[in-house]
Amino acid sequence: MPGSQAGDGSRIGSAPSLARAFGQENTLSSDDFGGQGSAQEREDRYNRALSRRLDPSPSRHSFSSSLNQKTPARSYFQHSLQDSHHAPNNSNRQSDKGVREDTAELASWALSDVELTRSELSPTRHPTPARDRQRNDPNPTLRVTEDHSRGASTPPTRPDAIEEVSEPSSRRSSSSSQNMGQHSALTEMLRDSPLTEEESDERDSMDQVLDTSGVQPVNVQTAIISQPHERTPLVRRRTAYGSMKDLESNKVSIEPPQSSLSVALRQCRQQTAHVTRVATHPKSWDRRAILRFGLLQPASYIPPVILGLLLNILDALSYGMILFPLGNSTFEGLGPDGISMFYVSCIISQLTYSLNGSVFKGAIGSEMIEVVPFFHKMAFTIQHRIGEEHRDAILATTITAYALSSILTGLTFLIMGTFRLGSLIGFFPRHILLGCIGGVGWFLVATGIEVSARLEGNLNYDIPTLKKLFERDTIALWIVPLALALSLFAIKQRVKHPLTDATFFISIIAVFYFFFGAIPEMKMPTLRDKGWVFEAPEAGVPWYHFYTLYKFPLVDWSAIGSTVPAMFSLTFFGVLHVPINIPALGVSTGEDNLDVDRELRAHGISNALSGLCGSIQNYLVYTNTLLFIRSGGDSRIAGTLLALATFAIMLVGPVIIGFIPVTVVGALIFFLGIDLMLEALVQTYGVVHRLEYITILVIVLTMGLYDFVAGILVGIILACVSFVVQTSRISAIRGKLYGGVANSTVRRHPLQNKFLKDAGNQIHVMKLAGYLFFGTIVGVEKQIRFLLEEEAFRQHPIRYLVLDLWNVDGIDYSAAETFLRINRILNGQGVELVICGMELIGEAGRALQNVGMFSEDNGVTYFQSLNSALEFCENELLKAFYHQRDAEAESESTPAYLEVPKSEHQLTASAADALSASPRRHHLHQVATETLSGQNPAPPSKWQDYTQPQKLILQTFCPISDQPEEFWYRAEPYFKRREYAEGTVLYNPGDRPDGFYLLESGMLKAKYELPQGKYSELIVAGTTCGELPFFSGTVRTSMTLAPTDCVTWVLDEGSWRELQENERDVAQELLKLSLKLTSERMDAITKYMLLTSG
């Protein structure tokens, strides 16, 4: 091989040219200052390389990553000649090579004489592996045979690919590369230079500053952080602060990865040490900083803290108050305990988010109203399991179940955040969440009626409860809060201020106590008895009274086990909310560094801590957080102050409950419930699909009238059914084409193209897409059955059904079984099924193989590409065509232009089709007859006695030219014979065109690799190659090689100039024919691109 025998110097010298070829001419390697030449020349190259490295331009800053890298210049071209994917061997998979040989053989029949070749074998229907010929020549080379009548010289051939051999590195290049891996010579000189007195003083002062700040310098030589000891020199040796070893060489040391926990602990220790150091040195205190950051800044957060505190109080009155089902006698009087549990959960979540747990500095966390129905479900389940007479056991078990559900929720969040599973929530249907929200809204409206009307027990949908609600002393209790909630909706239609809700409810309290003070007859005990104010708790009950309910010896763990489904439903509902609300809050606040997994971990920590502290679930509240941040609370200090203020309110105790108007709490609950129902049922009407809206409505009704857990299960089932129904309505068929429109990219003889234009209608291409399952495959089977109906089959008879699975993502078992049934139906009609466009080792291919789709008994043909499948079908039709022509030639003894060799064997099935009387066979017979009779005038049989290239020129140009036969005699001397062995590359993209080719035998393959994709075409005997670049003077656009041994006749540049000078009319006719051929090829390429693009 050229180059493989060269010395080291030649190989090193060629590296820059290879680098320049790949756009790396600026890359510095050992070749830039090594190789041949004297020591002075190598030193000069080294200095030039060093000066390039000192170039301050940005393009020089990234060279170090490319040092001493060898670019495999030949590997790309070598692999481009091979198939990158190989499917498993299968008896029914047609060999692409066998199809190519069929194509080449059919092209040779287009140039053969019927009388001379009828004694040869007729074509067989299916190629077999035995037909794949083995090449004895392991290194095929270019064989050139010329007609020396013109005496022209042969253009130089392309040399073989040079095999890349790794050469040993020279001592200079090795040492240079090692030095470059550490630091440059300039850096060494700068570091070794002695320090001046001023520099030494500055270095010592810098070391002292770093020592006092707690940051130790890094020894550049050893790259180890050294601790000072008794042997440490006063003047430190070359130190670089931070982790960067050499700024000039851009070499940065990579620290080993550390866990987030260790990083957090290290930061905590550093901050603690810094605070301790500052606190123990009063002289270092900055009074202005203390005044600014210790007094003024916290004081500026007072307005948002007051707003956040007000929101927490209102939420406690609406959410915490109804944490237990107060209408039930067992849980009566637990409203203050529910508020205290709400405050504990709120404080824990607030501190978790504010102390760097969440990326939102002003995040507010509290209980979510949507989980209250699940708490009531758990309480009633425990009460039913234990029995109403055991009140202490019920309360102990219920509150323990609440805490355990919080721990379960926290663990779920921690697992999702740790394993980064937050994105999985996006796959859950949103309309199920909307249905759950609507169900919670129904529950809140019912709870508002229960709390306001002071009903005993739950709201039952029966006549006695209806009569109770409309009694004179009851109707005003729930009508007034309902009217206030509706009034708030009306006000918010006009007033869009964020403080509208808080101002409205504070105004209700103010108006209530205004009238209470103005009317002496209104006494607080009377208002409590009539249900306008909550009952006062027992005197002396502290805020931590709910901890007395924890009596673990009384806990019924079997009853807790019965609440596990409700716990998981509660957790499931919360998990759906967080990945939806967090990104929405990030968009609203403009937070670009949002990490959903971090927020999930923060939620896991806060919920787990809340459960361990005996409290309930908590979540980051979107609306409260947004109000808090927009009012100026976007600070972790503000969040911490809000937690302290909430703790102070909690310390006041439940005594405040006895002075809260029931109307305020009822209006709050009514407002939230109606708002959620509007979101679920009104705002989605006409927006979501009809089936999705039905699913939402069913979920709301199921949750409101029956059970919350059952509502979620019903929603999931309906969502699955809705998905199947909607997906099944989308057809898996993306396109249907006939072979007359969908052609392969093979360049065939004009007569063959004419036959395939009409006979190709018996090839039906069906392009499938998406995931094929039991819902979508039904439409495919229905369409295929329609094609085989008697009337449709008579109008459009088909012989081959090609299923293109290129855009199919997968096939389930039901769809794979349906493919077997489709194949049986096709076999009954004599239609052959061809499957293409997939890998047998892929998901779709394995699914079909698992059901035995490609077994020999089924007779299914498989190809990797649609182009090969079309080529196979066209070849089979052409075989029938030549059998028909052979039969006519034998019966009429009339010489024909396209001759089929005489065969002693029986006709194949395709040939029999051509001679039978079915609609499909009649169609083939008619098209073949019309094609043969359309040769007017018939080409003379004497062409078969002509020598080459005269015979080839006449057979190629006469069918597409209006010039007589004698006109083309003058072109014969200008073509030269060339033979190419299998695997020879004729030219590559970008090459200068050196000839126009006529193919006598064999095949050529042109490969186009463009930014938009790849494309290839076959060029068979009797056709042309390379006409457009040659006659237009443009560079080659394809890589053309010989997949088989072939013989060509070439019109080179010298002969073309002579033809233009001596035979101008022949040259003009060649130009016109080249434009015609180019137009036909562009049309074929465009059709194929459109065919494969869908």
Side-chain angles (χ1 to χ4, degrees):
M1 295 291 294
S4 63
Q5 305 296 329
D8 294 342
S10 63
R11 288 195 296 270
I12 296 177
S14 63
S17 62
L18 292 175
R20 284 190 293 271
F22 284 84
Q24 298 179 358
E25 61 272 20
N26 293 330
T27 301
L28 179 60
S29 66
S30 59
D31 300 333
D32 292 323
F33 40 86
Q36 294 179 340
S38 63
Q40 181 62 35
E41 292 175 347
R42 291 196 296 269
E43 185 67 24
D44 292 341
R45 284 197 294 270
Y46 176 83
N47 293 332
R48 287 194 297 271
L50 180 62
S51 63
R52 288 199 301 269
R53 287 197 56 192
L54 296 178
D55 188 353
S57 61
S59 62
R60 302 295 184 189
H61 291 170
S62 60
F63 74 94
S64 58
S65 62
S66 303
L67 294 178
N68 298 325
Q69 292 181 359
K70 291 294 182 181
T71 304
R74 297 288 182 180
S75 61
Y76 173 80
F77 300 102
Q78 291 170 352
H79 287 295
S80 65
L81 301 178
Q82 303 173 1
D83 293 330
S84 59
H85 300 286
H86 299 281
N89 293 331
N90 190 284
S91 59
N92 284 82
R93 179 189 174 181
Q94 292 297 324
S95 170
D96 288 346
K97 186 175 181 180
V99 176
R100 299 294 182 269
E101 291 182 353
D102 271 352
T103 303
E105 188 177 359
L106 288 168
S108 66
W109 295 341
L111 307 178
S112 60
D113 181 69
V114 64
E115 299 298 335
L116 297 177
T117 60
R118 189 166 295 168
S119 60
E120 300 179 8
L121 294 178
S122 297
T124 57
R125 177 171 170 76
H126 293 293
T128 60
R131 295 171 55 182
D132 297 340
R133 296 176 297 173
Q134 301 293 331
R135 306 299 177 183
N136 296 325
D137 188 4
N139 298 313
T141 56
L142 177 65
R143 299 188 298 271
V144 182
T145 304
E146 293 189 359
D147 182 359
H148 295 281
S149 59
R150 301 293 302 171
S153 61
T154 304
T157 61
R158 296 181 60 86
D160 290 343
I162 301 175
E163 181 179 3
E164 186 178 29
V165 181
S166 60
E167 67 276 3
S169 303
S170 63
R171 185 176 66 177
R172 175 173 291 275
S173 63
S174 301
S175 60
S176 301
S177 62
Q178 293 174 359
N179 293 336
M180 296 303 293
Q182 297 178 357
H183 36 72
S184 65
L186 178 61
T187 302
E188 287 293 328
M189 290 188 294
L190 292 175
R191 286 177 172 173
D192 293 338
S193 61
L195 298 176
T196 63
E197 183 178 357
E198 293 78 11
E199 291 174 337
S200 299
D201 294 339
E202 183 180 357
R203 176 67 57 83
D204 293 341
S205 62
M206 182 62 69
D207 292 345
Q208 183 178 2
V209 170
L210 289 175
D211 287 344
T212 57
S213 63
V215 180
Q216 298 299 333
V218 179
N219 190 309
V220 177
Q221 274 191 332
T222 59
I224 300 176
I225 300 178
S226 59
Q227 300 293 337
H229 50 83
E230 64 273 13
R231 296 183 181 275
T232 302
L234 296 178
V235 179
R236 301 182 184 275
R237 299 177 62 187
R238 298 167 292 177
T239 57
Y241 306 104
S243 60
M244 187 168 291
K245 295 167 56 178
D246 185 4
L247 293 178
E248 188 228 346
S249 64
N250 273 344
K251 284 291 183 180
V252 181
S253 63
I254 302 178
E255 298 181 355
Q258 299 179 354
S259 63
S260 58
L261 179 60
S262 61
V263 173
L265 292 176
R266 186 179 69 252
Q267 293 177 352
C268 183
R269 287 195 299 268
Q270 293 176 354
Q271 293 177 0
T272 303
H274 176 70
V275 171
T276 303
R277 185 168 54 251
V278 173
T280 55
H281 294 78
K283 293 184 178 180
S284 64
W285 293 356
D286 188 346
R287 295 183 178 180
R288 292 184 178 181
I290 294 175
L291 178 63
R292 178 181 177 183
F293 297 106
L295 296 177
L296 297 180
Q297 187 175 14
S300 64
Y301 296 134
I302 292 178
V305 168
I306 293 176
L307 174 62
L309 182 61
L310 180 60
L311 294 174
N312 285 344
I313 293 174
L314 293 176
D315 290 343
L317 295 178
S318 57
Y319 305 169
M321 178 73 75
I322 60 175
L323 185 62
F324 297 93
L326 302 179
N328 190 280
S329 59
T330 303
F331 302 96
E332 187 178 4
L334 295 182
D337 294 307
I339 292 178
S340 297
M341 295 178 67
F342 173 88
Y343 282 142
V344 170
S345 178
C346 185
I347 293 170
I348 291 175
S349 63
Q350 191 65 59
L351 291 176
T352 303
Y353 301 147
S354 298
L355 299 180
N356 206 34
S358 173
V359 72
F360 300 103
K361 300 177 181 179
I364 293 181
S366 67
E367 176 195 357
M368 190 168 57
I369 186 62
E370 287 86 351
V371 301
V372 174
F374 298 98
F375 287 141
H376 286 204
K377 171 69 175 176
M378 294 164 62
F380 289 132
T381 301
I382 293 172
Q383 183 186 37
H384 178 73
R385 187 69 177 265
I386 298 177
E388 297 183 6
E389 63 275 10
H390 304 287
R391 185 174 187 272
D392 291 342
I394 293 175
L395 296 181
T397 306
T398 300
I399 197 169
T400 302
Y402 285 7
L404 289 177
S405 67
S406 181
I407 295 175
L408 177 62
T409 302
L411 292 177
T412 304
F413 279 128
L414 278 176
I415 292 173
M416 293 183 62
T418 302
F419 294 97
R420 300 187 175 277
L421 303 178
S423 59
L424 295 179
I425 307 301
F427 295 98
F428 191 82
R430 181 66 185 276
H431 63 281
I432 294 182
L433 180 61
L434 291 173
C436 295
I437 290 175
V440 173
W442 182 305
F443 166 81
L444 290 178
V445 172
T447 304
I449 296 176
E450 295 172 4
V451 173
S452 301
R454 310 298 291 269
L455 296 178
E456 296 180 1
N458 297 329
L459 178 64
N460 298 320
Y461 305 98
D462 52 20
I463 299 299
T465 303
L466 185 62
K467 291 181 178 180
K468 175 65 177 176
L469 291 176
F470 284 94
E471 290 179 357
R472 187 172 63 178
D473 58 345
T474 306
I475 186 172
L477 294 177
W478 64 273
I479 285 292
V480 172
L482 179 59
L484 291 174
L486 297 176
S487 301
L488 180 57
F489 278 108
I491 293 173
K492 293 189 69 173
Q493 292 294 326
R494 297 185 178 182
V495 181
K496 303 297 183 182
H497 198 276
L499 299 179
T500 303
D501 299 351
T503 304
F504 180 80
F505 290 107
I506 292 175
S507 301
I508 295 176
I509 298 175
V511 171
F512 178 85
Y513 277 100
F514 172 79
F515 285 102
F516 176 77
I519 303 175
E521 290 79 8
M522 294 182 63
K523 302 298 182 179
M524 188 59 66
T526 304
L527 294 176
R528 288 174 179 152
D529 293 338
K530 292 186 176 182
W532 292 101
V533 180
F534 285 104
E535 293 288 342
E538 297 180 6
V541 176
W543 64 269
Y544 51 84
H545 176 265
F546 70 93
Y547 283 113
T548 62
L549 302 178
Y550 282 96
K551 299 175 182 179
F552 293 105
L554 300 178
V555 173
D556 189 336
W557 295 103
S558 62
I560 290 180
S562 63
T563 63
V564 170
M567 289 183 185
F568 278 106
S569 299
L570 187 153
T571 302
F572 172 76
F573 197 78
V575 165
L576 291 181
H577 262 280
V578 174
I580 295 175
N581 290 340
I582 294 299
L585 183 60
V587 173
S588 301
T589 59
E591 179 58 58
D592 297 329
N593 299 320
L594 181 62
D595 184 2
V596 176
D597 297 309
R598 174 184 176 181
E599 304 301 324
L600 288 173
R601 292 191 294 270
H603 278 74
I605 294 173
S606 64
N607 280 274
L609 290 177
S610 179
L612 292 175
C613 293
S615 188
I616 56 176
Q617 285 89 346
N618 53 73
Y619 308 89
L620 191 149
V621 183
Y622 170 81
T623 54
N624 292 7
T625 301
L626 191 60
L627 288 175
F628 188 67
I629 291 176
R630 289 181 175 177
S631 62
D634 190 13
S635 170
R636 304 197 184 278
I637 297 176
T640 306
L641 292 176
L642 177 59
L644 295 177
T646 306
F647 180 74
I649 291 296
M650 184 181 66
L651 292 179
V652 176
V655 66
I656 192 176
I657 301 299
F659 299 94
I660 297 176
V662 177
T663 303
V664 176
V665 177
L668 263 172
I669 298 174
F670 276 127
F671 176 76
L672 293 173
I674 295 173
D675 186 51
L676 294 179
M677 292 189 68
L678 289 176
E679 179 183 355
L681 298 177
V682 177
Q683 297 178 9
T684 57
Y685 185 78
V687 177
V688 300
H689 192 271
R690 183 180 303 173
L691 291 176
E692 294 177 343
Y693 187 81
I694 293 175
T695 302
I696 294 173
L697 185 60
V698 171
I699 293 175
V700 172
L701 294 176
T702 304
M703 286 186 168
L705 299 176
Y706 181 66
D707 184 77
F708 262 81
V709 178
I712 294 179
L713 295 178
V714 169
I716 294 176
I717 294 174
L718 289 179
C720 295
V721 174
S722 174
F723 173 78
V724 171
V725 172
Q726 294 186 52
T727 308
S728 301
R729 296 176 62 182
I730 302 175
S731 176
I733 303 175
R734 293 294 184 266
K736 296 179 293 183
L737 297 170
Y738 288 96
V741 178
N743 305 112
S744 67
T745 58
V746 180
R747 295 191 189 182
R748 299 187 185 273
H749 193 276
L751 193 62
Q752 294 180 351
N753 289 332
K754 180 180 179 182
F755 171 76
L756 292 176
K757 185 177 181 181
D758 294 327
N761 289 329
Q762 293 196 15
I763 304 173
H764 188 85
V765 180
M766 191 173 291
K767 298 177 65 63
L768 306 182
Y771 188 86
L772 302 181
F773 68 106
F774 58 88
T776 55
I777 196 64
V778 174
V780 178
E781 182 180 4
K782 181 179 179 181
Q783 183 62 36
I784 293 175
R785 287 181 179 273
F786 173 77
L787 293 175
L788 301 180
E789 290 181 358
E790 183 177 357
E791 185 64 26
F793 194 79
R794 184 182 300 107
Q795 295 180 359
H796 297 285
I798 61 175
R799 184 67 184 86
Y800 300 96
L801 177 63
V802 180
L803 296 182
D804 183 13
L805 307 184
W806 175 259
N807 293 317
V808 172
D809 302 320
I811 302 174
D812 73 345
Y813 183 78
S814 300
E817 287 286 345
T818 305
F819 273 106
L820 287 177
R821 184 166 62 251
I822 290 174
N823 184 54
R824 289 194 296 268
I825 297 172
L826 294 174
N827 289 337
Q829 293 288 335
V831 180
E832 183 173 349
L833 178 61
V834 180
I835 296 178
C836 63
M838 67 172 187
E839 294 284 349
L840 289 179
I841 59 176
E843 181 179 353
R846 288 196 300 267
L848 293 178
Q849 289 187 96
N850 290 338
V851 298
M853 188 68 186
F854 300 108
S855 63
E856 296 182 3
D857 297 336
N858 291 325
V860 178
T861 308
Y862 163 78
F863 289 97
Q864 191 172 352
S865 66
L866 175 61
N867 187 47
S868 299
L870 291 174
E871 181 182 349
F872 164 77
C873 297
E874 292 171 356
N875 289 346
E876 294 300 309
L877 292 178
L878 286 174
K879 292 175 185 179
F881 168 70
Y882 285 114
H883 279 295
Q884 171 68 17
R885 194 190 66 171
D886 187 16
E888 292 186 2
E890 289 181 351
S891 60
E892 300 178 6
S893 300
T894 303
Y897 178 30
L898 290 179
E899 310 299 344
V900 177
K902 181 183 294 184
S903 174
E904 298 177 357
H905 299 274
Q906 297 294 329
L907 296 178
T908 62
S910 296
D913 286 348
L915 303 178
S916 303
S918 68
R920 178 177 53 226
R921 298 162 184 170
H922 175 72
H923 177 255
L924 274 181
H925 177 79
Q926 181 181 3
V927 173
T929 303
E930 292 177 355
T931 303
L932 293 173
S933 62
Q935 303 177 66
N936 188 23
S941 58
K942 63 180 180 180
W943 287 2
Q944 302 297 333
D945 300 329
Y946 288 0
T947 60
Q948 299 287 10
Q950 185 179 14
K951 172 184 175 182
L952 182 62
I953 293 175
L954 295 176
Q955 291 177 326
T956 303
F957 294 145
C958 283
I960 58 176
S961 173
D962 297 332
Q963 300 296 333
E965 174 183 334
E966 294 77 10
F967 177 82
W968 294 106
Y969 291 166
R970 293 179 289 167
E972 175 187 355
Y974 298 91
F975 286 86
K976 302 179 179 62
R977 177 185 172 91
R978 289 187 188 176
E979 296 182 6
Y980 293 96
E982 177 183 355
T984 305
V985 177
L986 277 68
Y987 48 79
N988 284 297
D991 290 352
R992 185 171 176 271
D994 58 353
F996 165 56
Y997 299 84
L998 297 181
L999 188 58
E1000 178 183 346
S1001 63
M1003 274 192 309
L1004 297 176
K1005 186 174 184 178
K1007 295 183 177 181
Y1008 302 86
E1009 295 188 3
L1010 305 174
Q1012 297 81 5
K1014 297 181 180 180
Y1015 170 80
S1016 63
E1017 61 176 340
L1018 287 179
I1019 304 167
V1020 298
T1023 56
T1024 62
C1025 176
E1027 62 274 2
L1028 180 61
F1030 179 76
F1031 290 119
S1032 63
T1034 57
V1035 297
R1036 301 289 189 185
T1037 58
S1038 69
M1039 181 188 72
T1040 301
L1041 70 157
T1044 62
D1045 294 340
C1046 60
V1047 178
T1048 65
W1049 291 85
V1050 183
L1051 176 68
D1052 57 24
E1053 292 181 304
S1055 300
W1056 170 241
R1057 286 192 296 268
E1058 294 181 10
L1059 181 64
Q1060 288 178 304
E1061 294 175 359
N1062 302 332
E1063 309 289 347
R1064 296 181 60 88
D1065 53 344
V1066 176
Q1068 291 293 330
E1069 185 67 16
L1070 278 178
L1071 288 176
K1072 184 172 70 172
L1073 293 183
S1074 69
L1075 292 177
K1076 184 176 182 180
L1077 293 173
T1078 301
S1079 175
E1080 293 177 355
R1081 293 312 306 156
M1082 290 300 103
D1083 181 63
I1085 292 175
T1086 302
K1087 289 195 300 183
Y1088 183 77
M1089 289 301 178
L1090 293 176
L1091 173 66
T1092 57
S1093 62

